[in-house]
């Protein structure tokens, strides 16, 4: 069913010497470090799409099949007969549904859960190439050569909204927060639109031929594009400025995608190569020209950044390891003496060891029980620092030289009502001023509700007494 690669020998030859003594990158040639490969498709693989958790990978082929794979081992889970060629495809973030767009103008919705077709209808008046779910999965957008971008709510066959572009739409991508959508046109124009009302934010020009793919960076500040002009380009979203042009492909570039840490791009094209690029300076980090097919039509990074996928002209779907994946930092954040709802996100600071000023910050979502996960800023030693409202700052040393660190347990002491990173008489004064209050009272102070029960009581005084005189880390 698929080929499983367990030997790392070929990988060592290909990318083991990516860095010279002086630190300059070498352009690796040969095959990537393949996790699994399958040739269940019989011809071009035009589109790839991961679920948000990376557990599933969907692929769409010219032979009128859409398939869903389990990424852990390459097992084929679903095989949908679409009737005609699949030119665009997107799987819902939660993996429940799959949307395919066909060259002959049909939009199809499929249930990944039970394998049944939910709906199929004529979606556009001309050929279609693009499909993409909003990050929250509430809507799916499609784009076609009729110049229309339509937003659908499954299973309805009437669009919720429509955006009109002055040129064919070959590709679309949403910003991470879902507020913006980018479209790439047949004539080389890139447009960024407000999702809320469909108004045009800006147009970027510079490519000399049609756009084949666009993708936002994980923080939404950058947009990458690929084109029939053989280049990959990087744009600043805030003002549309062209930051750099990456050359190296010798023929059309069909796909480009950001790694989840925002530091690497993957591209694939008609020259039969898959390439990795460094975002910071546009340097080509790796070039793979074996086990890639004569043409690479589609590329995608897995959500954890550990792997990337590509689809070829010979029907292959390949999952390969990303040699430039940044280590992960993960663990549990405990807010002591607190029974209320956890904040949705917290800010982590990354600092040079022993230094008080951060060189990088990250807004990180907290999962159930305070579980957190973020990309390390680099391989090596750094300090990780966090402070949350009325808890004292905690700074710990982290070293990712040996890879990901995923067993951190960080506890924050409570009682810093005035947020000056120490528990003093000023905090007692603030609590006295709010004593007896509940939300809506004129003297309500949420920071004084130390235990999170939406009432300032003697229990909150107890927390202050317990931690009085304690200083947070610098």
């Amino acid at each position: 069913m698929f080929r499983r690669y367990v030997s790392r020998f070929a990988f060592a030859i290909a990318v083991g010497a990516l860095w010279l003594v002086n630190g300059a990158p070498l352009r690796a040639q040969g095959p990537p470090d393949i996790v699994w490969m399958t040739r269940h498709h019989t011809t071009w693989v035009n589109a790839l799409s991961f679920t948000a958790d990376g557990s599933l990978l969907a692929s769409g082929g010219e032979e009128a099949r859409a398939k869903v794979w389990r990424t852990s081992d390459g097992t084929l889970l679903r095989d949908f007969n679409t009737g005609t060629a699949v030119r665009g495809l997107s799987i819902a973030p939660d993996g429940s549904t799959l949307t395919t767009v066909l060259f002959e103008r049909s939009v199809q919705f499929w249930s990944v859960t039970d394998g049944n077709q939910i709906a199929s209808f004529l979606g556009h008046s001309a050929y279609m190439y693009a499909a993409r779910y909003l990050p929250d999965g509430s809507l799916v957008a499609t784009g076609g050569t009729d110049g229309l971008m339509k937003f659908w709510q499954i299973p309805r066959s009437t669009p919720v909204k429509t955006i009109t572009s002055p040129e064919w739409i070959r590709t679309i991508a949403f910003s991470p927060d879902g507020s913006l959508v980018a479209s790439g046109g047949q004539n080389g124009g890139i447009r960024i639109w407000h999702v809320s009302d469909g108004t045009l934010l800006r147009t970027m020009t510079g490519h000399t031929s049609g756009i084949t793919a666009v993708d936002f960076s994980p923080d939404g500040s950058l947009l990458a594009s690929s084109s029939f002009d053989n280049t990959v380009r990087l744009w600043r979203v805030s003002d549309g400025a062209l930051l750099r042009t990456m050359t190296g492909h010798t023929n059309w570039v069909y796909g480009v995608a950001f790694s989840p840490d925002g530091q690497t791009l993957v591209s694939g094209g008609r020259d039969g190569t898959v390439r990795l690029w460094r975002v910071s300076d546009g340097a080509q980090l790796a070039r793979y020209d074996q086990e890639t097919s004569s043409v690479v039509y589609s590329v995608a990074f897995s959500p954890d950044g550990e792997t990337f996928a590509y689809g070829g002209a010979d029907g292959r779907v390949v999952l390969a390891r990303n040699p430039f994946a940044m280590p992960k930092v993960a663990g549990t954040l405990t807010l002591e003496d607190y029974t209320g709802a956890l904040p949705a996100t917290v800010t982590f600071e990354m600092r040079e060891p022993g230094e008080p000023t951060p060189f990088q910050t990250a807004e990180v979502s907290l999962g159930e029980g305070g579980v957190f996960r973020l990309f390390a800023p680099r391989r090596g030693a750094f300090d990780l620092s966090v402070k949350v409202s009325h808890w004292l700052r905690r700074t710990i040393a982290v070293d990712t030289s040996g890879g990901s660190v995923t067993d951190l347990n960080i506890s924050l002491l409570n009682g810093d009502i005035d947020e000056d990173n120490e528990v003093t008489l000023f905090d007692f004064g603030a609590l006295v001023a709010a004593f007896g209050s509940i939300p809506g009272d004129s003297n309500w102070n949420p920071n004084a509700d130390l235990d999170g029960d939406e009432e300032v009581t003697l229990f909150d005084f107890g927390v202050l007494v317990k931690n009085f005189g304690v200083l947070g880390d610098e």
Side-chain angles (χ1 to χ4, degrees):
M1 186 182 80
F2 62 89
R3 293 174 59 188
R4 184 80 181 180
Y5 286 74
V6 296
S7 171
R8 299 295 181 88
F9 179 69
F11 177 59
I13 294 175
V15 298
L18 280 172
W19 300 92
L20 295 172
V21 174
N22 65 2
L26 292 175
R27 297 183 178 182
Q29 298 189 29
D33 182 16
I34 295 175
V35 180
W36 54 260
M37 178 169 63
T38 175
R39 287 190 175 92
H40 266 270
H41 288 284
T42 58
T43 184
W44 315 342
V45 178
N46 291 319
L48 295 169
S49 178
F50 280 98
T51 53
D53 65 1
S55 63
L56 302 177
L57 172 66
S59 59
E62 189 73 10
E63 84 284 19
R65 311 296 292 198
K67 303 174 187 287
V68 178
W69 314 88
R70 187 167 60 210
T71 55
S72 60
D73 58 8
T75 298
L76 178 62
L77 301 178
R78 296 292 180 201
D79 186 359
F80 300 109
N81 184 354
T82 60
T84 59
V86 179
R87 289 297 173 89
L89 166 150
S90 186
I91 193 167
D94 65 2
S96 61
T97 59
L98 178 73
T99 296
T100 54
V101 295
L102 310 184
F103 188 64
E104 53 76 40
R105 302 174 290 168
S106 288
V107 175
Q108 298 174 332
F109 301 142
W110 306 87
S111 170
V112 177
T113 305
D114 60 22
N116 294 322
Q117 186 178 86
I118 300 171
S120 179
F121 52 88
L122 194 66
H124 289 252
S125 61
Y127 304 138
M128 290 185 295
Y129 291 96
R132 190 73 69 98
Y133 281 83
L134 270 165
D136 65 4
S138 60
L139 299 173
V140 61
T142 59
T145 57
D146 55 4
L148 300 179
M149 189 189 316
K150 297 186 178 184
F151 294 75
W152 312 90
Q153 188 173 48
I154 298 173
R156 294 171 55 188
S157 59
T158 301
V160 175
K161 66 178 71 175
T162 300
I163 293 175
T164 302
S165 173
E167 60 179 311
W168 293 5
I169 295 176
R170 295 192 62 94
T171 179
I172 55 180
F174 287 103
S175 61
D177 64 2
S179 64
L180 301 175
V181 60
S183 63
Q186 177 68 16
N187 299 327
I190 299 170
R191 291 170 176 82
I192 298 179
W193 315 79
H194 291 286
V195 172
S196 59
D197 58 9
T199 57
L200 180 64
L201 176 63
R202 64 180 44 86
T203 300
M204 288 107 80
T205 58
H207 282 289
T208 59
S209 191
I211 308 301
T212 57
V214 289
D215 195 33
F216 279 93
S217 62
D219 65 0
S221 66
L222 304 174
L223 187 77
S225 59
S226 59
S227 170
F228 291 124
D229 67 7
N230 305 354
T231 69
V232 172
R233 303 194 186 211
L234 194 67
W235 313 80
R236 189 166 54 222
V237 172
S238 62
D239 59 4
L242 175 62
L243 300 180
R244 58 189 58 92
T245 299
M246 284 153 273
T247 59
H249 282 283
T250 58
N251 210 318
W252 299 347
V253 187
Y254 280 115
V256 65
F258 270 98
S259 63
D261 62 12
Q263 300 191 31
T264 308
L265 291 172
V266 61
S267 64
R270 194 176 177 85
D271 60 2
T273 68
V274 174
R275 302 177 190 236
L276 298 177
W277 311 84
R278 190 165 56 216
V279 171
S280 61
D281 60 5
Q284 182 175 276
L285 299 173
R287 171 181 175 271
Y288 302 115
D289 57 5
Q290 294 179 23
E291 300 290 3
T292 56
S293 179
S294 60
V295 179
V296 178
Y297 281 104
S298 48
V299 295
F301 263 110
S302 63
D304 65 3
E306 297 288 343
T307 57
F308 59 89
Y310 58 90
D314 60 0
R316 76 179 68 202
V317 175
V318 180
L319 188 73
R321 294 179 180 86
N322 172 19
F324 304 100
M326 294 302 294
K328 313 299 185 303
V329 175
T332 302
L333 180 68
T334 301
L335 304 181
E336 294 195 3
D337 300 307
Y338 184 71
T339 59
L342 294 176
T345 62
V346 298
T347 301
F348 283 87
E349 295 182 353
M350 277 71 79
R351 306 170 172 183
E352 297 294 346
E355 295 296 324
T357 304
F359 62 82
Q360 185 173 320
T361 61
E363 287 289 325
V364 180
S365 298
L366 287 184
E368 186 176 355
V371 173
F372 67 89
R373 182 180 178 89
L374 66 151
F375 287 101
R378 65 191 182 203
R379 293 185 183 274
F382 59 93
D383 286 347
L384 186 68
S385 185
V386 60
K387 187 186 188 313
V388 181
S389 61
H390 53 82
W391 287 271
L392 298 173
R393 179 176 295 280
R394 181 81 189 281
T395 302
I396 62 172
V398 177
D399 192 342
T400 56
S401 299
S404 296
V405 177
T406 58
D407 58 354
L408 297 178
N409 289 293
I410 303 175
S411 293
L412 303 187
L413 293 179
N414 205 342
D416 182 23
I417 297 175
D418 61 4
E419 300 189 31
D420 65 352
N421 205 31
E422 57 182 333
V423 183
T424 67
L425 289 174
F426 291 105
D427 299 299
F428 273 94
L431 196 146
V432 168
F435 187 73
S437 65
I438 60 175
D441 289 348
S442 60
N443 63 330
W444 169 251
N445 179 353
N447 271 8
D449 178 24
L450 298 177
D451 60 5
D453 65 353
E454 297 196 332
E455 184 178 9
V456 181
T457 67
L458 289 174
F459 291 105
D460 302 302
F461 266 107
V463 174
L464 273 186
V465 170
K466 176 183 175 182
N467 294 326
F468 182 70
V470 178
L471 302 177
D473 296 336
E474 289 296 326

